Amino acid sequence: MELIQDLSFVHLVANASVLVQLVMGLLLSVSLMSWWYIFLKMFGVRAAVKQTVEFEDAFWGNPNLNALYQQANSQARRDVGALERIFAAGFAEFVKLKKTHGVESAAVMDGTRRAMRARYQREMDDLESHLSFLATVGSVSPYVGLLGTVWGIMNAFRGLSSVGQATLAQVAPGIAEALVATAMGLFAAIPAVVAYNRYAYDIARLSSRFESFIEEFSNVLQRQP
């Protein structure tokens, strides 16, 4: 019972060396931040997918582009999605260039595409925000935990230098508290890697849908009188 008490998680953390405790504290903070961003991106990506599907249905079901544009710019709405903002940017530029005298049709379409591309890049930057943090946590956390483990094991074996005969009971607490750092590193890294791969895939699919819409909407505008 004494050995079990000495090897409890709280006891191991409390009796670890200062460097190992700093590593554990850093990994705990990083893990909490990564979980915050994981849930933040989960709700953000889900909302973006839902808004994209709804606007695609509205766009192909409503031939009145002016009505769609007015709806996208409505001050009362708070659920305007990324694709709808891309549409609004392109349509506004198209109307402005069409009203400008002396602008050729090719120049009108080129300016419209540039406006949509610029808006597309801003929307993608927003969707991809915090993904780099999750990628960094997933790749670096195991090595940070390993640093704490190596340091803790070094301290454990250094403490045995003054002992005449080493036993498992003497070396186990030092090694166990060192391995806690590795466990915390993996605990921080695994959810971050899984979340990064999932959200990167979802955002890549959204990017493909945005680009397809830009081309399809450009074709629709080319047929406008």
Side-chain angles (χ1 to χ4, degrees):
M1 294 298 294
E2 185 67 26
L3 182 61
I4 295 176
Q5 183 180 0
D6 289 343
L7 294 182
S8 65
F9 179 80
V10 176
H11 180 85
L12 293 175
V13 173
N15 289 275
S17 64
V18 176
L19 179 60
V20 176
Q21 287 180 339
L22 289 175
V23 168
M24 292 178 182
L26 175 63
L27 290 172
L28 179 61
S29 301
V30 167
S31 178
L32 292 175
M33 289 180 63
S34 67
W35 277 106
W36 168 257
Y37 288 135
I38 285 171
F39 285 111
L40 195 67
K41 297 307 295 181
M42 179 181 70
F43 293 121
V45 171
R46 283 183 179 178
V49 172
K50 180 175 178 289
Q51 291 164 346
T52 298
V53 172
E54 289 177 349
F55 179 71
E56 284 179 338
D57 293 340
F59 177 83
W60 295 114
N62 185 1
N64 192 337
L65 298 180
N66 287 298
L68 286 174
Y69 177 72
Q70 294 299 326
Q71 185 179 1
N73 282 341
S74 174
Q75 297 293 328
R77 290 190 58 196
R78 294 290 183 269
D79 60 340
V80 179
L83 187 59
E84 197 165 359
R85 287 190 288 267
I86 293 172
F87 158 80
F91 189 72
E93 186 68 14
F94 176 79
V95 172
K96 183 178 71 173
L97 293 176
K98 271 288 190 180
K99 292 179 180 179
T100 304
H101 296 291
V103 180
E104 296 181 357
S105 178
V108 171
M109 294 310 306
D110 186 53
T112 301
R113 287 193 182 93
R114 284 202 304 269
M116 287 192 288
R117 281 287 172 184
R119 187 71 221 188
Y120 161 82
Q121 290 296 335
R122 288 193 290 270
E123 296 297 337
M124 292 306 301
D125 288 341
D126 184 61
L127 284 172
E128 292 173 351
S129 62
H130 310 310
L131 280 186
S132 60
F133 177 81
L134 294 178
T136 302
V137 171
S139 60
V140 173
S141 293
Y143 296 104
V144 176
L146 185 60
L147 172 63
T149 297
V150 171
W151 186 266
I153 291 176
M154 286 172 56
N155 283 339
F157 282 108
R158 190 160 48 209
L160 295 177
S161 61
S162 59
V163 179
Q165 183 177 2
T167 64
L168 180 61
Q170 291 171 324
V171 73
I175 295 178
E177 68 189 28
L179 291 175
V180 171
T182 296
M184 293 185 68
L186 294 175
F187 179 78
I190 293 173
V193 170
V194 173
Y196 172 81
N197 290 334
R198 177 61 190 178
Y199 298 148
Y201 172 76
D202 290 339
I203 292 172
R205 292 187 62 188
L206 280 173
S207 174
S208 178
R209 294 175 77 164
F210 293 167
E211 290 182 332
S212 297
F213 175 82
I214 290 174
E215 296 303 319
E216 292 169 344
F217 185 42
S218 297
N219 293 334
V220 171
L221 291 178
Q222 280 182 327
R223 295 192 293 268
Q224 295 294 312

